[in-house]
Amino acid sequence: MASLEPAGLLPGTLDLLILKAVSLGERHGYGVLLRLQQMTGQALTIEQGALYPALYRLERQGLLDTEWGTSDNNRRAKFYTLTAAGRRRLKSAESDWLRMVDIMGTALRHKPGEA
Amino acid sequence: MAWRRRRRSLETEMAEELRAHVAHRADDLETSGMARPDAERQARIELGGIETHKEHIRDERLLGRTRRFLQQTGSDLRLGARRLRHAPLYALFAVGSIGVGAGVTTAMFAIVHELVWVSSGIRNPDAVAIVGNRIQGALALERVMSQPDFEDYQGAQTSFDSLIAATRFSQSLSLPNTTRLVESEAVTDGYFPTLGVEAALGRVLQPADSRPDAPSVMVLSERLWRTGFASNPNVVGQVVRLGGTPFEIVGVAARDYRGLNNLLPRRTAVWIPLSAMSRMPVYGVPVAAGHMPEPVVSRTVPDRMSLTMVVAGRLKDGMALARANAEAAAFSVGLDAGFPITRSVRGSRVPAQRQWELRLAEHTTGNTGLGPLMVAIVALVLVVACTNLANLSLARGTSRGGELAVRLALGASRGRLIRELCAESLVVGAGGFVAAVLISVPLMTAASTDLIGRGNTIEPHLSATVVFATALAVGLSLVVCGLWPALRLSRADVRSMMTQGSAVLSPSWRTERLLIRFQTVVSVALFCSAAGFISALLVQVRADPGVDLDRLTIARTVFRLRSWDEARSLQAVDRITSVAPARFGFEATAVSSSMPFGGNPDVYASVALTEADLATQRDQPCSWPPLRVSSTRLGCPW
């Protein structure tokens, strides 16, 4: 059986995924990318070029905090952590997303003749 | 600087972070067996264009929405400029219309601002009251009381911390290169401290200056110092002649202060102590032989019927104006009982009553509603220009109706179209603003001409307030001729625009039709006014007075014939005609009882002098007799 081709990200979902990835632990930019790929089982194509503008955007919005440190490879890197506002945003976005999935699932599972 | 530092720091951070990304990815690839150089190359390829990433990050981090908005606006403005370049006639007309309309309005605003909206220069004017005298229902603020009345009131009143008075008069003042008739105030002790006016240079008048043995001193207005003495910082100590009497200049008053009556043509140029007035030949003591004859009646006679003084005072802390008013009214009634006065009506004396009333200085310095009215009338030019331009913009938009309809049909938002159309108007507005400033400057210069002949010219100039007014006028113009047509064009139905074309854009509102009618009426009125003005101007230019105006100078001297008898007046005329040719180098002189070439309603004797060397005459200081050159050359300036 041929493996599924990675799907493109839905608009607006990258920010949510990044918040989720960072919520699991402090990560530098490349580490966030690896965590996203791991979380999605390589099923989503994450454009590396879109990652950094999104990280800077979330930082500007006060959802992420940053600090320079040393990575496991002994390289200097910028590490991202979730702020309190970021945690609140992640919680509300998760809830919205799951609700939307429910609604969409219900709608798509609808069969002719059902009320 | 801080912004640059932040930007430099961000650039460094971005570069380092992207380098770290490539290094980490290369480490992983190297771990999987790839050679380091290949791994690094592969990592860079996977990451993509680093500069592009940086640009995206800058967009997000540095300016975000603002930057995007500015970029979009810049792009719209460039597009608007390109469109205007392809329609040069329209662009020229639009910029010219806004420029003329806003320029004329701005110039009038600057004039009105200079005339009636300027500061009185009095410190805390809401605590300074001016005493007025009600005569036949009208409150006169000048020539309110006599000196004896003032002295009695000053001694008895309890409402003011200090009460001062001034007698206003106009007199010739010899300046370094010319003689000028100036408005003057002879003031009592404490005049400047009471009004809270300080010296810009030197000092103001002091009580010691009023002593009988004190030298005659004067304080100049800042404007006279600037225009008559070329802002000479060493003016203090110079001696000038006022009405032929030498006065030492001791200071220059603060710039804003222009006298107790701030309205033209009564802005004060010099202040002297009241006691010094009696030393002036025309007002007080007899003059020495060889000078002009003295007046028959002195104006400083301590006569209670000689109402010569303007009176003002600073109210005590907590003193209500009504209470001070009641005291002044009661005191004036008491004076009437003790010292009844009369006034002259058609040559005969009739009983007069003192009815003193107080007015706060802030309400007497020219803040009238006349200014806005004048600006509003002139702004009609701007309204007409804008209406014209709005209709032209609509007509031009109609020709682009197809393009707009297609763009709307393809999904362009109405807001996007409005932004584009407004951006074009903004380009026009920028040009109109520059044109308005360029047009208003010569108009303001023309308005600075001394039209009333007392050196009291106004000086409208491009202050920050005036530039703001210009920008406001242009901004309002853009609303009428930019935003309104844009809204109209973008609201049109796409299908109708494609099928009916311009029909959907013809004036449909009642308001629009009314606006066009209004514009037509005002245009016709303005055209008729302009035609009449140009016609009068042409008549003036083509008029032949029958004399060689290029070599003619008219000078005028003030005889105050009301105070002189006929013999003395004739004596003065004879002396001037005999002295002037030798003294000023005139070829010939002639005397008339009124001013030639235009008349003169005042009771002056006028002397017409044909000059031999105008430059020489103008460079010579002219002391007494007080010759004042009304017009150096009568040739038409056009």
Side-chain angles (χ1 to χ4, degrees), chain B residues 379-442:
Chain B
L380 282 178
V381 177
L382 184 60
V383 172
V384 170
C386 288
T387 316
N388 264 329
L389 194 54
N391 286 325
L392 190 65
S393 300
L394 270 179
R396 186 161 173 266
T398 304
S399 65
R400 288 173 54 195
E403 173 205 331
L404 296 176
V406 168
R407 294 195 55 193
L408 282 169
L410 289 176
S413 69
R414 192 178 162 218
R416 179 87 193 107
L417 287 188
I418 291 174
R419 260 181 65 167
E420 270 186 32
L421 291 167
C422 286
E424 190 176 309
S425 302
L426 269 180
V427 177
V428 169
F433 177 79
V434 174
V437 170
L438 293 178
I439 288 169
S440 67
V441 168

Side-chain angles (χ1 to χ4, degrees), chain B residues 261-449:
Chain B
N261 187 339
N262 198 18
L263 288 175
L264 285 176
R266 306 305 304 274
R267 289 181 177 172
T268 307
V270 301
W271 291 268
I272 62 171
L274 187 61
S275 58
M277 196 174 174
S278 60
R279 294 175 209 149
M280 298 174 68
V282 287
Y283 300 123
V285 298
V287 297
H291 284 77
M292 298 300 295
E294 75 279 13
V296 174
V297 179
S298 165
R299 287 178 60 182
T300 55
V301 171
D303 183 339
R304 289 189 187 268
M305 280 191 283
S306 179
L307 307 183
T308 59
M309 308 199 101
V310 187
V311 179
R314 187 167 289 277
L315 292 164
K316 286 180 175 170
D317 276 348
M319 172 60 65
L321 183 67
R323 199 171 134 205
N325 216 352
E327 184 187 63
F331 191 82
S332 63
V333 170
L335 275 179
D336 258 344
F339 306 98
I341 57 172
T342 59
R343 60 189 171 87
S344 177
V345 177
R346 295 194 188 96
S348 58
R349 307 295 300 182
V350 299
Q353 284 185 319
R354 300 173 179 89
Q355 292 186 29
W356 295 350
E357 275 184 43
L358 304 183
R359 283 285 178 276
L360 289 181
E362 64 175 342
H363 296 142
T364 58
T365 51
N367 292 316
T368 66
L370 189 64
L373 181 67
M374 289 164 69
V375 174
I377 290 171
V378 174
L380 282 178
V381 177
L382 184 60
V383 172
V384 170
C386 288
T387 316
N388 264 329
L389 194 54
N391 286 325
L392 190 65
S393 300
L394 270 179
R396 186 161 173 266
T398 304
S399 65
R400 288 173 54 195
E403 173 205 331
L404 296 176
V406 168
R407 294 195 55 193
L408 282 169
L410 289 176
S413 69
R414 192 178 162 218
R416 179 87 193 107
L417 287 188
I418 291 174
R419 260 181 65 167
E420 270 186 32
L421 291 167
C422 286
E424 190 176 309
S425 302
L426 269 180
V427 177
V428 169
F433 177 79
V434 174
V437 170
L438 293 178
I439 288 169
S440 67
V441 168
L443 289 175
M444 285 188 269
T445 307
S448 302
T449 311

Side-chain angles (χ1 to χ4, degrees), chain B residues 472-488:
Chain B
L472 192 66
V474 172
L476 290 175
S477 312
L478 291 185
V479 170
V480 176
C481 62
L483 185 61
W484 174 64
L487 289 172
R488 282 272 287 125

Side-chain angles (χ1 to χ4, degrees), chain A residues 28-30 33-34 48-57 59-60 68 71 73 75-78 80, chain B residues 10 13-14 16-18 20-21 23-25 27-28 36 43 46-47 53 56-57 60-62 64-65:
Chain A
H28 52 71
Y30 181 66
L33 181 70
L34 292 181
Q48 293 184 29
L51 177 69
Y52 286 96
L55 284 169
Y56 276 82
R57 181 170 60 244
E59 184 191 351
R60 184 169 54 80
W68 284 89
S71 69
N73 296 12
R75 293 191 183 280
R76 187 171 144 76
K78 188 177 171 185
Y80 293 87
Chain B
L10 175 70
E13 200 173 301
M14 277 191 311
E16 198 170 345
E17 185 167 25
L18 291 173
H21 179 101
H24 280 107
R25 178 61 181 153
D27 287 348
D28 284 357
R36 183 71 196 180
E46 286 178 9
L47 181 60
H53 296 331
H56 289 157
I57 293 170
E60 291 295 346
R61 174 66 184 263
L62 272 180
R65 285 181 187 177

